[in-house]
Amino acid sequence: TQLLEQSPQFLSIQEGENLTVYCNSSSVFSSLQWYRQEPGEGPVLLVTVVTGGEVKKLKRLTFQFGDARKDSSLHITAAQPGDTGLYLCAGALSNTGKLIFGQGTTLQVKP
Amino acid sequence: EAGVAQSPRYKIIEKRQSVAFWCNPISGHATLYWYQQILGQGPKLLIQFQNNGVVDDSQLPKDRFSAERLKGVDSTLKIQPAKLEDSAVYLCASSGTSYNEQFFGPGTRLTVL
């Protein structure tokens, strides 16, 4: 059974703080996606990383794919209340079209 | 480009009743997924279609859940009879791009009383 362990599960921080969310697996993924989900909505794709060691930046968000393509991290700099939501990582299994989702990280950024 | 459409957005039923959800994927996307999501957790795959064929339904509780995608476009997911533990958000997603990128609809929140 492929698993994607995501941590932490919950994070409550003050506006302006930095944070990092981790996703780890023993499986190798062909790509990995990060999603953000707000209450009452479906997950929205933030980024896809494909190459081992790849780093992508989206404004204050930095995504990294591990060299072995088994793990990933999301770093948010100077968090804002608008960053509040459920962050999901999902690893893609090659040739199956299937995503393995992490358990999610609920982030609350207080003003 | 229109996103994934789902209806209804909310549904409240009593246990042992039946319910159906509808999904229309992004135009041209061959792969369609139904997920079940418990509040605050990651989505759990129920079934994956490629065009109108089932690719993976290993986690679909087939004694009560069924799904179809007859013309390879829109899809319906049915629960009959519903149980209390079926209360969740049911998400539909579609994919037609490389890297297994999936695009989600807004979901249907089901409450079983």
Side-chain angles (χ1 to χ4, degrees), chain A residues 9 17 19 21 24 33 40 43 50 55 57 63 81 105 108-109:
Chain A
Q9 268 192 287
E17 292 184 6
L19 67 116
V21 178
N24 294 286
Q33 279 107 48
V50 178
V55 177
K57 291 192 174 185
F63 305 86
T105 295
Q108 181 187 43
V109 182

Side-chain angles (χ1 to χ4, degrees), chain A residues 35 41-44, chain B residues 1-9 22-35 69 73-75 90-96 101-108:
Chain A
Y35 292 84
E41 299 297 329
V44 174
Chain B
E1 179 182 78
V4 176
Q6 286 188 249
S7 67
R9 291 295 311 274
W22 174 82
C23 171
N24 188 254
I26 292 173
S27 177
H29 280 193
T31 313
L32 185 147
Y33 311 80
W34 283 102
Y35 289 89
R69 192 184 184 200
V73 181
D74 55 355
S75 175
Y90 290 85
L91 294 165
C92 178
S94 70
S95 177
E101 292 176 333
Q102 294 182 19
F103 298 88
F104 286 82
T108 297

